[in-house]
Amino acid sequence: RIMANPFRPGGIVELEYFVGRTLEITRFLQYFKNTKDGNPHHLAILGERGIGKTSLLRYLEWQAKKQKALVVRIELDPATNSIEYLVAQILEELKRAGVAHSLVDKSAENLKGFFQKYRVSLSLGVARIEPKKETEIETKIEFRYKLQEIWSKIKDKIPGVVIMLDEAEQLEEITGSLQYLRNVFLRLSENHCGYMLVLSGKIGLFKQIKELHSPLARFFTPITLGLLKPEEVSEAIQKPFTDANKKIEPSLIKKIVEDSQGHPYVVQTIGYVLFEQDKKEITNSDYQALKPAIMAQLADQLFQDMLEATSPEEQKILYALAQAKKPLKVKEIAKKIGKKSTHIGTQIKRLTETNCIKKFSRGEYTLFHKLFGEYILTATAPAN
């Protein structure tokens, strides 16, 4: 039987091929232990697009379930446009997860009836939780009390409840939602309820939390995901090929480590294109021949959108960095594009915020990825 391509650029990496993030996993497990011990801690997992936030969440979900935790993982989207709707989502998923948990964990099977007791609905835009044959209770008001009631019923059978909200930047669109969640889960913590809240979103999410609500910054411990280490890239590439009885030339592994720079999305894209080849051994020559296909996929899924979202002035900065192929000081960038250093501060700030460039050292910047630079040099040059 031919093995399906296990690489998932833009998707969730299969659990058996998940690599790295050791410190992040250790932090999560420590916080979950604290939560089980009656002192809940909460996390914000942050990172740029394609850095592997959702794959990490899925792996942490698996780790928590191994410890018999009840896990709710929700991917937020624009449909989540009010606190009431958010609460309804959490309660609905909590009910579903509770029923599923009771079916697989015999020690908790008597909880099935409890979780099936409730249904969640939307009425005139207001989320309500409705115990069957009982009066409606407005969710926004009763959310904390309902979570407390649920915990009181399950605490002897379930060590903790982990609620994961992915794409959490959507919460920025709901006025007061972050503060509301903090207040609810802070009171739950005070009452020693075993709920752990994990947010996952773009780097700017936590920056905004810090600027707007300092109590929020203290409530959610931030974990910012970085690049994979060379040995992790090697493992991420080699293990799927080995499982498929395929080989990769050792020198090619070094080249992939170098070209990917440890960026998970790039690693997965390279692996995907190489794995599609109907060959038992992939060589350096194969990689060079496939490089245009790899670049095309990266352009379509990542680089093109990033470049098109920039202004003409910002594109000049990107081209200067791409041509230099090394970090540049602000004054060097300014000189290359014919501007004064004081006139490009706004553009530098925005390019940093959108992850097109990153700070290399004090006053010195580089592109977020060298292959992005290769793409920029092949794209249409910006007007002078």
Side-chain angles (χ1 to χ4, degrees):
R1 180 174 173 270
I2 297 175
M3 179 175 165
N5 196 323
F7 292 94
R8 302 280 188 270
I12 299 177
V13 175
E14 296 291 344
L15 292 174
E16 61 265 41
Y17 298 125
F18 185 88
V19 301
R21 309 306 187 201
T22 305
L23 294 177
E24 291 85 351
I25 294 167
T26 300
R27 173 73 65 86
F28 171 82
L29 293 175
Q30 180 60 53
Y31 277 17
F32 182 63
K33 180 181 182 299
N34 295 150
T35 299
K36 289 192 298 181
D37 292 343
N39 181 24
H41 283 56
H42 312 280
L43 287 173
I45 297 172
L46 311 168
E48 65 190 60
R49 179 179 171 189
I51 204 69
K53 299 184 295 296
T54 302
S55 289
L56 175 59
L57 270 193
R58 175 67 186 89
Y59 190 83
L60 297 179
E61 176 184 11
W62 175 65
Q63 288 280 352
K65 284 181 175 179
K66 283 205 303 181
Q67 298 192 38
K68 299 186 180 300
L70 190 59
V71 184
V72 172
R73 180 163 61 92
I74 298 172
E75 292 185 4
L76 302 179
D77 59 42
T80 309
N81 56 12
S82 68
I83 292 176
E84 291 83 5
Y85 195 97
L86 172 65
V87 167
Q89 275 187 290
I90 293 173
L91 289 172
E92 183 62 60
E93 285 299 312
L94 186 55
K95 171 191 169 182
R96 182 200 59 75
V99 171
H101 185 92
S102 66
L103 293 175
V104 298
D105 184 355
K106 293 302 180 184
S107 67
E109 61 184 345
N110 63 335
L111 295 176
K112 180 180 176 182
F114 169 74
F115 280 108
Q116 288 180 326
K117 176 183 175 183
Y118 298 101
R119 65 189 177 88
V120 181
S121 64
L122 288 174
S123 175
L124 299 177
V126 178
R128 299 178 186 277
I129 185 165
E130 302 170 346
K132 291 179 180 178
K133 300 180 182 179
E134 293 181 34
T135 309
E136 285 188 344
I137 306 170
E138 188 175 338
T139 309
K140 184 176 176 182
I141 297 174
E142 296 293 330
F143 184 43
R144 173 166 61 88
Y145 299 110
K146 188 50 58 182
L147 290 178
Q148 286 180 194
E149 178 192 341
I150 290 172
W151 179 247
S152 71
K153 298 288 186 182
I154 69 176
K155 64 182 180 180
D156 294 331
K157 299 292 184 182
I158 293 174
V161 179
V162 182
I163 297 176
M164 299 176 163
L165 301 181
D166 199 6
E167 307 290 346
E169 53 267 23
Q170 177 61 27
L171 297 175
E172 297 175 349
E173 305 299 319
I174 307 172
T175 303
S177 61
L178 282 165
Q179 192 69 46
Y180 173 75
L181 287 173
R182 174 201 175 261
N183 292 342
V184 167
F185 283 87
L186 184 61
R187 292 294 297 276
L188 290 170
S189 297
E190 290 172 1
N191 291 318
H192 306 292
C193 296
Y195 290 95
M196 179 179 180
L197 186 58
V198 181
L199 303 184
S200 174
K202 62 186 181 181
I203 293 173
L205 170 68
F206 199 74
K207 183 184 177 194
Q208 190 166 31
I209 288 175
K210 279 179 148 179
E211 290 174 351
L212 297 179
H213 307 287
S214 58
L216 281 171
R218 293 193 295 271
F219 185 72
F220 292 106
T221 301
I223 292 179
T224 301
L225 298 188
L227 302 172
L228 298 175
K229 300 173 184 175
E231 62 271 21
E232 294 167 350
V233 174
S234 178
E235 182 185 350
I237 291 290
Q238 285 188 302
K239 190 173 188 307
F241 277 87
T242 301
D243 287 354
N245 294 316
K246 293 185 176 185
K247 293 182 179 179
I248 291 193
E249 201 170 65
S251 60
L252 177 52
I253 292 293
K254 288 184 64 177
K255 179 64 174 170
I256 293 172
V257 168
E258 179 187 327
D259 277 3
S260 71
Q261 295 184 303
H263 194 288
Y265 186 90
V266 179
V267 171
Q268 289 294 310
T269 301
I270 292 173
Y272 176 84
V273 174
L274 295 182
F275 196 92
E276 285 293 296
Q277 305 312 300
D278 188 19
K279 297 183 68 174
K280 283 293 184 182
E281 182 170 13
I282 309 297
T283 67
N284 254 307
S285 297
D286 295 320
Y287 177 71
Q288 293 306 321
L290 293 167
K291 185 75 175 289
I294 292 168
M295 289 298 296
Q297 185 153 333
L298 288 171
D300 290 343
Q301 300 296 323
L302 187 62
F303 297 158
Q304 185 176 340
D305 288 346
M306 294 178 72
L307 187 60
E308 288 182 350
T310 59
S311 69
E313 290 301 309
E314 289 165 354
Q315 287 179 20
K316 291 178 183 178
I317 293 172
L318 294 177
Y319 272 77
L321 287 167
Q323 288 170 340
K325 297 183 180 179
K326 65 176 184 178
L328 294 176
K329 296 184 183 298
V330 174
K331 63 180 181 181
E332 293 174 321
I333 298 172
K335 183 178 179 181
K336 283 180 175 292
I337 65 174
K339 299 280 186 180
K340 292 182 178 180
S341 299
T342 53
H343 291 173
I344 64 171
T346 301
Q347 287 87 352
I348 293 287
K349 183 174 183 290
R350 185 175 182 278
L351 288 170
T352 304
E353 290 173 348
T354 55
N355 300 313
C356 288
I357 66 175
K358 59 185 179 182
K359 184 177 286 188
F360 182 77
S361 64
R362 185 176 177 84
E364 197 171 20
Y365 293 86
T366 184
L367 293 173
F368 93 96
H369 200 280
K370 73 172 194 173
L371 294 184
F372 185 42
E374 289 185 22
Y375 168 72
I376 288 171
L377 294 177
T378 62
T380 305
N384 292 324

